Amino acid sequence: MYKIIVIGGKGTAICLAEQIDDARLRYNLDAEFIGFCIDDEFLGKSINGYPVLCKTDELKKRYDKYGDVKYIFSLYRPDKMKERTELLYSYNIEENKFYTFIHPSAYVASSAKIGVGTSVFANCTIQSNVVIGKHNIIDFNSMIGHDTWIGDNNDIAASSVLGSNVKIKNSIFIGLNSTIRENIIINDFSFIGMGSNVLKDIQSNTIVAGNPARSIKEI
């Protein structure tokens, strides 16, 4: 059984910890969440009853030597996706130390491909020929349409719907309950506000929101 450490300890990181616990207890997932890795001392020695195991600069020294210990990255703010991505890679963690989590209640087509370190939460649907890269979070109840391609380090919030043949590049945040029309391209480091209805391609480093989604400002 793998032992999972979540790098983070707020918001989505806590949800992820409880998802792993739920998957183990209700569906016999062959993985166990053992604690958080985070630097914020104000959080104390435990979060939601789970232990804080170490700070980020201690993680590799303390846990890399254990073959059954794996990590999932869920740290820093979704409105700072570029900085969040840089933070992840600053740790220089080998890819084989990351765990790919798919909640057993999610539907994932047999033809779909999901990269290392990605988390797919409960009740998601990932349809045929979808390709998802590394270190993505696909939150509760989201649907990814067929033949969609998702790059690395993206965060797709709960109840979002991506149509078919969508291309999501890298380090993008898609807000709660957003809808992306088919054949759309969303470029790097973009931010999509909650409840947005995206009907046109989005350029890099752009914040959009609304129905239909419109550019608000550049990041």
Side-chain angles (χ1 to χ4, degrees):
M1 176 179 286
Y2 285 118
K3 297 176 174 60
I4 311 302
I5 297 172
V6 172
I7 303 171
K10 300 177 181 179
T12 300
I14 299 171
C15 295
L16 178 56
E18 294 185 342
Q19 287 265 305
I20 296 168
D21 225 13
D22 175 71
R24 179 179 62 85
L25 294 171
R26 291 204 294 146
Y27 298 93
N28 298 311
L29 180 74
D30 190 24
E32 175 187 12
F33 175 71
I34 61 169
F36 297 104
C37 168
I38 192 167
D39 297 331
D40 189 346
E41 295 182 350
F42 289 102
L43 295 172
K45 295 182 179 180
S46 67
I47 302 168
N48 279 34
Y50 300 111
V52 174
L53 299 174
C54 62
K55 295 183 177 181
T56 56
D57 62 356
E58 302 169 330
L59 181 66
K60 291 181 65 177
K61 182 177 180 180
R62 292 183 59 176
Y63 292 101
D64 268 14
K65 58 188 173 183
Y66 300 109
D68 61 343
V69 175
K70 301 285 186 179
Y71 314 135
I72 301 176
F73 180 80
S74 183
L75 181 65
Y76 206 51
R77 295 158 43 182
D79 61 329
K80 297 286 186 180
M81 294 299 289
K82 184 175 183 179
E83 293 86 346
R84 178 172 170 162
T85 299
E86 291 170 348
L87 185 62
L88 165 61
Y89 291 128
S90 74
Y91 299 140
N92 294 312
I93 298 171
E94 297 292 331
E95 282 192 4
N96 63 8
K97 287 300 295 181
F98 287 100
Y99 182 75
T100 303
F101 172 67
I102 301 173
H103 193 277
S105 70
Y107 167 73
V108 179
S110 60
S111 57
K113 298 178 181 179
I114 298 177
V116 68
T118 286
S119 297
V120 178
F121 281 33
N123 301 321
C124 288
T125 297
I126 298 176
Q127 297 189 0
S128 60
N129 301 311
V130 168
V131 176
I132 300 176
K134 300 177 292 185
H135 306 297
N136 295 283
I137 293 173
I138 315 297
D139 213 332
F140 303 89
N141 302 317
S142 292
M143 194 283 290
I144 313 298
H146 67 80
D147 297 289
T148 284
W149 183 92
I150 297 173
D152 300 334
N153 309 302
N154 300 292
D155 190 339
I156 299 174
S159 300
S160 293
V161 176
L162 279 61
S164 60
N165 292 290
V166 170
K167 188 170 186 179
I168 306 292
K169 293 193 178 178
N170 303 299
S171 303
I172 293 159
F173 178 77
I174 298 178
L176 289 163
N177 202 35
S178 292
T179 302
I180 316 298
R181 195 190 70 181
E182 68 275 6
N183 301 311
I184 292 294
I185 299 174
I186 301 178
N187 287 287
D188 297 345
F189 311 123
S190 296
F191 184 98
I192 299 172
M194 67 179 184
S196 295
N197 187 15
V198 179
L199 303 179
K200 297 181 180 180
D201 293 351
I202 298 175
Q203 299 305 309
S204 299
N205 301 289
T206 302
I207 298 175
V208 304
N211 182 12
R214 300 180 186 278
S215 175
I216 295 175
K217 65 177 181 178
E218 294 185 357
I219 300 173

